[in-house]
Amino acid sequence: MIAKSGMRATKNHVAAESREKLVAMQNGLLAALTDLHSQLKQAHWNLRGPGFIALHEMFDEAAGEVTGYIDDVAERIGQLGGLASGTVRDAAAATPLAAYPEGLTEQAMTIEVVSTALAETAKRTRQAIDDADNLGDQVTADLYTEITAGLDKTLWFVESHVG
């Protein structure tokens, strides 16, 4: 049953007012991660040039990792009694990331665009660690720490392709 606030009743020990704020915050992160995933796939599909295969495979692997983060965040929203807003339309309406440039195939610019999207998403998850902790939810803070570590590692891999 859905409560008036849009939250489901749960025996989860995180305070109800904190859970509502956490769900809103996590839906924002879900939008960013969904957009990041689509940008990584766009880079994977359209990249051209001499370093193609290494970058092609790296972007695909990174997109797979982001898929896991998306699932983890959406499931955490449910654990807190919320509803995940995870459609492509939801993501497009709420993403904080810059749009992926249409027609981009060139390697150096692709690396720049992808690294910027990764860095922005990691910046937001890093801030969310503190926000979740301040709201009394160390489990969500730990989840964000894990996601941020993964995003930082992927950013390092992508930036390592810059001469």
Side-chain angles (χ1 to χ4, degrees):
M1 172 181 239
I2 302 292
K4 289 183 183 177
S5 67
M7 298 287 291
R8 292 186 178 274
T10 178
K11 294 178 182 160
N12 187 297
H13 287 82
V14 176
E17 65 185 39
S18 292
R19 287 189 289 111
E20 287 187 42
K21 291 174 185 173
L22 287 158
V23 166
M25 178 176 61
Q26 289 183 86
N27 271 317
L29 179 57
L30 189 59
L33 289 167
T34 301
D35 189 9
L36 177 62
H37 176 267
S38 72
Q39 291 194 31
L40 286 162
K41 290 304 282 188
Q42 190 73 8
H44 165 77
W45 294 323
N46 293 305
L47 180 75
R48 301 292 183 266
F52 166 78
I53 196 65
L55 290 167
H56 175 79
E57 290 175 354
M58 182 180 61
F59 291 149
D60 197 38
E61 184 177 327
E65 291 170 5
V66 172
T67 297
Y69 305 152
I70 289 167
D71 198 49
D72 289 343
V73 169
E75 288 177 354
R76 185 66 185 153
I77 290 168
Q79 292 164 22
L80 294 172
L83 295 173
S85 297
T87 68
V88 172
R89 290 178 190 226
D90 292 336
T95 185
L97 303 182
Y100 193 89
E102 190 173 323
L104 179 60
T105 62
E106 191 268 325
Q107 286 183 18
M109 185 55 126
T110 298
I111 289 168
E112 176 62 27
V113 168
V114 169
S115 65
T116 298
L118 283 162
E120 180 62 26
T121 307
K123 174 184 165 188
R124 289 176 180 277
T125 58
R126 189 170 276 105
Q127 178 58 50
I129 294 166
D130 291 336
D131 294 343
D133 197 41
N134 290 336
L135 290 167
D137 185 4
Q138 292 74 31
V139 173
T140 298
D142 285 349
L143 173 61
Y144 289 158
T145 300
E146 180 181 325
I147 291 170
T148 304
L151 292 171
D152 283 353
K153 184 176 181 181
T154 301
L155 176 60
W156 171 52
F157 286 170
V158 171
E159 289 181 328
S160 292
H161 286 271
V162 176

